[in-house]
Amino acid sequence: VSQSRYTEKNWDLGIQKLAFLGIDGDSSVKGLLNQAGVTINTSVITKKISSMTGAELKTFCATVLDTYRTNCARTAMPTHFIIPESDYLGLAAPSSADFPLKSVLAVLEETFQVMTKNPSFKILPCAYGDSAYNGLGKQRYALYNYEEESLRMDIPVDYTSTLANSIDNFSFQNVGYGQFTGVVAYRPLELLYFEY
């Protein structure tokens, strides 16, 4: 039983890495953070959002959504913003030293929710956005429209293990199997990367 749990955990961790980075060495199976043909913007985010001054944060809030809308020819609004976990963990700090009423995270969430008219807009941390874990050599942020017509990954057969059986009437063994796809960006203009 413990071996089965260990194998299922490996499956879960493998699917998680695949969802963000695809399969190493296989250019046909991409993840959310390394899609081919997606615009990479290097001018809007030049350092951690959590280390931006009040003025820099204001400029960021004023430009990030317009950059996304320009990229997709104003045909979609983003629903999710994935940021490197090392940056996300600093977003609880006050957004302004002069008026420490809201955290940087609260300011960002409010900005995205109001401007997209989507109260469910999500800002999420991702360890694979950190350069130490993604193999890209850059901090990678992703602003995207999480709709099935825009972006999709399927797991048609989740991890399944067969019934344990004995070959030698002493030890038991079974087989685990599953099926998955990489992430497919059907509308790559509705996914925008920021990096530094």
Side-chain angles (χ1 to χ4, degrees):
V1 175
S2 64
Q3 181 66 26
S4 178
R5 283 189 193 141
Y6 175 75
T7 305
E8 188 171 359
K9 185 173 184 176
N10 279 344
W11 166 268
D12 291 341
L13 292 172
I15 290 293
Q16 176 181 287
K17 185 175 182 183
L18 171 91
F20 291 104
L21 299 178
I23 295 177
D24 288 337
D26 187 343
S27 62
S28 65
V29 182
K30 297 289 188 182
L32 176 65
L33 298 177
N34 62 357
Q35 291 288 310
V38 172
T39 304
I40 300 172
N41 182 294
T42 58
S43 61
V44 173
I45 300 175
T46 57
K47 64 179 184 178
K48 286 184 174 185
I49 297 171
S50 58
S51 68
M52 289 181 177
T53 65
E56 289 170 331
L57 187 60
K58 183 177 178 182
T59 300
F60 171 73
C61 288
T63 59
V64 67
L65 278 172
D66 187 55
T67 303
Y68 178 89
R69 295 279 292 159
T70 301
N71 187 67
C72 70
R74 303 199 183 278
T75 59
M77 280 288 190
T79 60
H80 288 69
F81 187 36
I82 300 291
I83 68 174
E85 186 177 304
S86 62
D87 194 2
Y88 183 87
L89 295 176
L91 296 181
S95 61
S96 168
D98 298 327
F99 301 101
L101 303 174
K102 291 185 179 179
S103 69
V104 175
L105 181 59
V107 168
L108 290 176
E109 284 179 336
E110 186 176 307
T111 297
F112 283 115
Q113 290 170 356
V114 168
M115 301 318 304
T116 63
K117 298 186 184 336
N118 177 3
S120 300
F121 188 97
K122 294 187 185 320
I123 298 174
L124 301 168
C126 179
Y128 297 111
D130 284 301
S131 60
Y133 303 106
N134 62 25
L136 302 169
K138 304 276 186 176
Q139 294 289 94
R140 172 80 42 106
Y141 298 71
L143 186 58
Y144 60 98
N145 181 11
Y146 187 54
E147 296 294 335
E148 201 170 290
E149 302 84 26
S150 178
L151 190 68
R152 186 172 172 166
M153 176 183 172
D154 290 316
I155 302 177
V157 180
D158 203 356
Y159 177 80
T160 306
S161 58
T162 60
L163 184 62
N165 226 329
S166 177
I167 294 175
D168 59 8
N169 293 323
F170 182 74
S171 55
F172 287 84
Q173 65 182 24
N174 67 342
V175 175
Y177 62 92
Q179 187 179 32
F180 56 85
T181 69
V183 173
V184 178
Y186 294 119
R187 297 178 180 164
L189 295 179
E190 293 180 12
L191 170 60
L192 178 60
Y193 295 141
F194 299 92
E195 71 178 26
Y196 67 90

